[in-house]
Amino acid sequence: TATIPATSVANITTNIPSGGYTPGATYTVTATINYAGRTRFGFEVSPQNALGTKLGTLINTSSQTKLVGSSKYVTQNQAGNLGTGTKSWSFNWVAPAAGTGTVTFYGALMAANNNGGTSGDLTYKVQTSVNEASPCSITASISAPDTVCTLETATLTASSTPTAASYLWSNGATT
């Protein structure tokens, strides 16, 4: 089987923003396969770099999936292989440390014909890559000449998360 990009038959999707993942944040990853007439399905997904090193942390969030291979992969369990023409599995992923860069979710998704053998089963290799979000930078300036005395300085410390930003001036002010 060849590796294919996400298609209407098999794909891996995430709720990671288009700007990239934030290190340490938790995201939902979903593997989906659609094949009319099939009733048995399977999958395995792993977030890796080009050398095959697992990146981030997989978290099992479903009674239909399990972690295998020292938690490098997430796959379906017996309760998670039934469907009618389609099957999706979701799990969480905690993004790796800052500086990791691009992460690729490699997956193999199967639509089986339930004949007890491998003949007629279809396996699709898919992948999707996500980039690390670029750190934001904040620039501050003093706009009025009398805001700071001639021989004094002011320092602004700014920090942010995906949902909020905070500012702290050296005099204790926060705006």
Side-chain angles (χ1 to χ4, degrees):
T1 55
T3 300
I4 60 170
T7 68
S8 60
V9 175
N11 63 56
I12 300 170
T13 59
T14 74
N15 67 343
I16 298 170
S18 60
Y21 68 83
T22 299
T26 301
Y27 299 98
T28 300
V29 180
T30 302
T32 301
I33 186 159
N34 302 291
Y35 204 95
R38 300 300 166 122
T39 59
R40 296 269 183 187
F41 300 92
F43 87 107
E44 189 165 273
V45 171
S46 181
Q48 301 178 13
N49 63 16
L51 300 175
T53 303
K54 181 185 90 168
L55 300 175
T57 303
L58 293 170
I59 301 174
N60 187 33
T61 59
S62 169
S63 62
Q64 296 191 359
T65 59
K66 61 185 178 181
L67 300 178
V68 296
S70 299
S71 298
K72 183 176 182 178
Y73 306 92
V74 61
T75 188
Q76 88 288 341
N77 58 28
Q78 186 67 31
N81 68 7
L82 297 176
T84 304
T86 187
K87 185 69 181 174
S88 291
W89 303 268
S90 292
F91 53 93
N92 284 350
W93 174 70
V94 180
T100 299
T102 301
V103 175
T104 300
F105 290 88
Y106 295 96
L109 287 75
M110 176 185 279
N113 61 11
N114 201 24
N115 70 359
T118 58
S119 66
D121 295 347
L122 303 167
T123 302
Y124 297 87
K125 292 182 181 177
V126 295
Q127 64 187 57
T128 189
S129 296
V130 294
N131 294 315
E132 182 176 346
S134 298
C136 60
S137 69
I138 299 173
T139 303
S141 63
I142 306 298
S143 59
D146 61 348
T147 304
V148 177
C149 295
T150 307
L151 299 176
E152 292 185 22
T153 61
T155 303
L156 171 66
T157 303
S159 62
S160 67
T161 68
T163 58
S166 64
Y167 308 93
L168 178 63
W169 288 96
S170 53
N171 67 358
T174 58
T175 56

